[in-house]
Amino acid sequence: MPETLTVTDNRTGKTIEVPISDGTIPAMGFRQLKSSADDFGLMVYDPAFTNTASCRSAITFIDGDVGILEYRGYPIEELAEKSTYLETAFLIIYGHLPNAAELAEWTHNITYHTFVHENIRKFMDGFRYDAHPMGMLISTVAALSTFYPDAANVDDARSREIQTVRLIAKMPTLAAFAYRQLHGLPLVYPDNDLSYPANFTSMLWKMSEAKYAANPVLERAIDILFILHADHEQNCSANAMRAVGSSRPDPFSATAAAAAALYGPLHGGANEAVLRMLMSIGDKKNVPAFVKSVKSGEGGRLMGFGHRVYKNYDPRAKIIKRTADQVFEITGRNPLLDIALELERIALEDDYFIQRKLYPNVDFYSGIIYQALGFPVEMFPVLFAIPRTAGWVAQWREMIVDSEQKIARPRQVYTGDRKKSYVPIGKR
Ligand code: CMC
């Protein structure tokens, strides 16, 4: 069976044959179809890239119909159970599970790059007292590029290694600084004796004690949440990382762009939106009326439901639901959980959601855990950005060395006026 597609242009009768490879056809193959000699050629129109593969990638596999997520071929369920975030970050970036020596070296490198330049403290001071921590994170990660001019050498493999370590090591520090700034608390420096998640909790919550003792259950819960959020193939922020990175700025600037994409309520801001939604519902008994208002369009969307790729239960949501029980044993049960469970129950039985294949996504339960851990809702997208940095970096590194990639530059269908003559202001 030939792996090709034959297309006839009914405007001219011309027939072309384009190759099919990996279930895709090259969009450039259509350019040869022209309605006249001076026609630019046929383009494909795909706003929001709903059916366009923009790259080849070996990092993350998703089968949205069945609800499968794998990093480098390893199922998310196994990684969440057996791995750590740092090991998973190595896997995502380098393509294989590290051996003991590789993991030790990687952990050492990340641990010893957690400090940030003192001037970052001054930036933090410059933010208004109620600045959103995601705004602070985006700004300070962009600012890192000014401290590391060597990061501009994106074609130098060694430079890419150093920036990779710096980014993964420093994001929790910037995030914790933003949290402490929000609370008017003195900033806490990294503690290199601690694991990645324990050091993060120390920078967040340490007060006057000489050493912060992280609760091991909560430390593990944060690590699992980090594993679940580490990558998700070509989502909006990964696409931003690749698109911005394709003009070859330093990766700190590209990461700031990716984090900005993550900030939106339809992406990483969704867990914040879920919490606000649950709080506004207020009680289990109000759930049916709320679902009704969602269906009629008056109540907005059911946040934390639906996904561009998953048309089944998001596998990450299942793991988070389980992790929530362990967290609640320590922190006490978050009363919003009952509202969430009732929402899920009613929505999954409702035709509107069944027909559209709308299931809980990763954000539906993550906010409830974050709140139980004591985080204000503003911190939720920040908690997503820290682990997603591994994914952004992996996507960026893959893009930089991909010979098929060029500067990302889509085409448009122009719908405006043409060939007008300038009218002097007195005659308009
Ligand atoms: N509540 C109610 N209706 C919905 C929802 C929802 N959460 N999501 C989709 N729909 C409806 C939508 O109105 C449309 O209905 P119709 O065909 O009658 O017009 C249909 O389902 C298809 O929706 P769509 O907007 O074409 O789907 P999409 O693939 O463009 O959007 C989405 C995906 C995630 C943006 C969307 O489902 C959504 O807005 N969900 C709520 C926000 C959310 O939870 N985002 C987190 C996503 S997961 C983590 C991440 O990526 O960061």
Side-chain angles (χ1 to χ4, degrees), residues 359-396:
Y359 290 85
N361 61 48
V362 67
D363 292 316
F364 193 65
Y365 288 106
S366 61
I368 297 176
I369 300 196
Y370 292 147
Q371 196 186 47
L373 289 170
F375 289 108
V377 285
E378 295 83 359
M379 275 300 284
F380 294 1
V382 171
L383 294 164
F384 194 155
I386 297 170
R388 184 52 62 87
T389 304
W392 292 332
V393 168
Q395 300 284 345
W396 170 74

Side-chain angles (χ1 to χ4, degrees), residues 266-267 270 301-308 352 356 361 363:
L266 298 188
H267 190 7
R301 291 198 160 188
L302 174 46
M303 300 310 286
F305 258 66
H307 199 275
R308 173 62 59 79
Y352 176 96
R356 290 170 179 77
N361 61 48
D363 292 316

Side-chain angles (χ1 to χ4, degrees), residues 284-350:
K284 241 171 96 168
K285 70 174 187 319
N286 301 330
V287 168
F290 176 73
V291 170
K292 205 169 157 197
S293 74
V294 167
K295 292 193 310 184
S296 69
E298 284 159 29
R301 291 198 160 188
L302 174 46
M303 300 310 286
F305 258 66
H307 199 275
R308 173 62 59 79
V309 180
Y310 292 117
K311 301 301 166 198
N312 202 321
Y313 214 102
D314 182 335
R316 300 167 300 173
K318 277 191 200 149
I319 299 167
I320 293 189
K321 217 171 151 182
R322 277 203 303 273
T323 310
D325 292 334
Q326 292 151 19
V327 169
F328 294 157
E329 275 179 29
I330 310 287
T331 61
R333 189 178 167 86
N334 186 338
L336 293 180
L337 180 66
D338 294 323
I339 303 177
L341 289 169
E342 182 69 353
L343 255 180
E344 178 185 331
R345 189 185 67 76
I346 293 187
L348 291 184
E349 284 173 357
D350 191 296

